[in-house]
Amino acid sequence: MELKVYGNAAALELIRRMILKGREQRSIMIHGEKGLGKKHLAQYIAASYLCECHDGEPCGVCKSCRMVMHGTHPDIMNVRSNANGNYIIDESIRPIVADSAVMPNESRYKVYIIPDLDRSVNTAVAVQNILLKLIEEPPEHVVVIMTARSKEVFLPTIVSRTLSLAVSAVSEEESLQYLRENTVQIPSEQLKEAVSAGRGNIGRCKSYIEKDSFYDSVQAARALCDAAATCDGYKILAALHSVEGKKALARECISLFGEIVRDACADRLGETDERLSVSCYAQGARKLCSSLSAPACIKLYDTICDYEGRIDANCNLSLTLGSFAAKLAQAVR
């Protein structure tokens, strides 16, 4: 593990000051969209807490930091969910509460990291209720760090007793720096293309470079945008056909298309500052802006939000995509 966090300077400074003052918060929630480095930040905070130098950030040299970098620190426990993303209470959560009474092996703290709590749709509330006692009155040597896409998933009793850290997108320059430092033999043009697609989300940039699912979603969203800009019903169907039978891919494709349309709406309403754009296809947003009126852009965006909700509600994917294609063709006429 690299003991370096890109961006999020405010969160890092807050952690540094707490450590220097000896006022470490021992229940932390980290929230933000997928790919922004929530789990990496959790590991970084754990390393900062356990570093033998106590300088507010990991030195990268002491025994504790070296163990963190190699993933072998005995006082950092990464709690694991099952294959479906759910935490099995008797296998994953109750053991934490029982183990919390045991003193650390090497350091002054024992850190429990519970990632992606929002994925545990079947057990999230039960998990938090069991953890609540530990979070309310943790032993002096215990730190609990949870991550989720939104803090809305947390119970109010949890939110009020934890330090909330929101992770944010980094600059495109920082994204490019990360890719240059962590990829090999990738042409500069490909790196810049990945940065343009990821828009400050390093996880997305990395996935694009590796031609993972995000890459496929971007290609489908861009094809959908081009089809909508030219009001070509056949191409709209062809773009959606590429995600047929793949719920996660279809959901991400439509979400990315929504971001493109959001940028087109902003352009239409006179907001031209590219620093505020959020989509993976700035050129496509400009195409939509020039081909659609402001009311049409807004209608299109509302349609996208509606169909995102339908996919999340587990409506039949094939019927949903067919209906979306028809609504999309109507919206761009």
Side-chain angles (χ1 to χ4, degrees):
M1 171 194 166
E2 181 186 22
L3 294 179
K4 180 178 181 179
V5 174
Y6 293 81
N8 295 288
L12 298 181
E13 179 62 14
L14 177 60
I15 294 297
R16 188 184 73 85
R17 289 186 178 185
M18 288 193 307
I19 294 173
L20 290 177
K21 293 179 180 179
R23 300 177 61 182
E24 295 91 340
Q25 174 67 43
R26 288 183 291 117
S27 297
I28 301 173
M29 69 166 70
I30 303 173
H31 53 94
E33 73 176 22
K34 179 181 178 182
L36 291 181
K38 298 184 294 294
K39 290 190 282 290
H40 183 75
L41 178 58
Q43 293 284 347
Y44 178 92
I45 293 172
S48 301
Y49 275 29
L50 304 184
C51 178
E52 296 169 12
C53 295
H54 307 304
D55 288 336
E57 57 188 17
C59 68
V61 177
C62 70
K63 178 183 177 182
S64 179
C65 285
R66 293 199 307 272
M67 287 192 291
V68 172
M69 287 188 288
H70 289 96
T72 59
H73 203 298
D75 294 323
I76 297 179
M77 270 62 70
N78 294 285
V79 185
R80 300 187 183 279
S81 59
N82 65 13
N84 295 321
N86 289 312
Y87 287 99
I88 307 302
I89 291 174
D90 290 334
E91 295 178 8
S92 301
I93 304 304
R94 294 194 193 279
I96 293 177
V97 180
D99 181 69
S100 65
V102 180
M103 296 299 292
N105 292 283
E106 294 275 348
S107 305
R108 56 178 178 156
Y109 289 122
K110 178 184 286 186
V111 183
Y112 298 95
I113 298 176
I114 309 174
D116 299 324
L117 192 58
D118 55 313
R119 288 189 60 204
S120 188
V121 292
N122 296 327
T123 61
V125 173
V127 165
Q128 292 180 69
N129 280 326
I130 294 173
L131 288 172
L132 183 57
K133 182 66 174 178
L134 183 60
I135 289 172
E136 284 181 322
E137 300 176 6
E140 291 295 323
H141 58 271
V142 168
V143 176
V144 178
I145 306 177
M146 300 165 286
T147 77
R149 283 172 292 184
S150 171
K151 68 178 181 180
E152 300 302 319
V153 72
F154 294 100
L155 297 171
T157 47
I158 296 285
V159 174
S160 64
R161 291 166 174 80
T162 56
L163 171 66
S164 175
L165 296 177
V167 290
S168 57
V170 303
S171 68
E172 293 195 5
E173 290 76 14
E174 289 171 317
S175 294
L176 187 59
Q177 179 188 356
Y178 172 86
L179 293 177
R180 284 173 172 165
E181 293 176 355
N182 292 276
T183 58
V184 293
Q185 297 180 341
I186 303 294
S188 179
E189 286 305 312
Q190 289 186 27
L191 296 181
K192 291 179 180 178
E193 181 182 344
V195 168
S196 177
R199 304 299 297 181
N201 184 314
I202 289 178
R204 282 182 169 185
C205 295
K206 184 178 178 183
S207 180
Y208 190 90
I209 282 288
E210 296 170 352
K211 288 185 165 50
D212 208 341
S213 61
F214 178 70
Y215 178 88
D216 296 331
S217 299
V218 168
Q219 302 312 310
R222 287 175 173 173
L224 196 56
C225 174
D226 290 338
T230 56
C231 304
D232 191 320
Y234 175 78
K235 289 184 178 179
I236 289 173
L237 284 171
L240 291 174
H241 180 72
S242 69
V243 299
E244 177 72 40
K246 305 169 185 175
K247 179 181 176 181
L249 185 62
R251 176 64 172 80
E252 188 168 42
C253 163
I254 293 176
S255 177
L256 291 173
F257 180 47
E259 292 177 356
I260 297 170
V261 174
R262 176 265 177 210
D263 282 354
C265 290
D267 285 347
R268 260 296 175 189
L269 296 173
E271 181 53 73
T272 58
D273 189 345
E274 288 193 3
R275 294 174 298 178
L276 300 178
S277 63
V278 298
S279 75
C280 62
Y281 194 23
Q283 181 182 355
R286 290 192 291 271
K287 287 181 183 177
L288 279 177
C289 176
S290 62
S291 63
L292 300 177
S293 65
C297 284
I298 294 172
K299 181 181 178 182
L300 180 55
Y301 186 77
D302 288 341
T303 299
I304 291 169
C305 292
D306 177 25
Y307 279 85
E308 282 181 314
R310 296 189 189 196
I311 293 177
D312 290 340
N314 287 320
C315 294
N316 180 279
L317 183 61
S318 181
L319 294 177
T320 299
L321 292 178
S323 176
F324 178 63
K327 288 285 187 180
L328 182 54
Q330 292 176 5
V332 299
R333 282 176 186 166

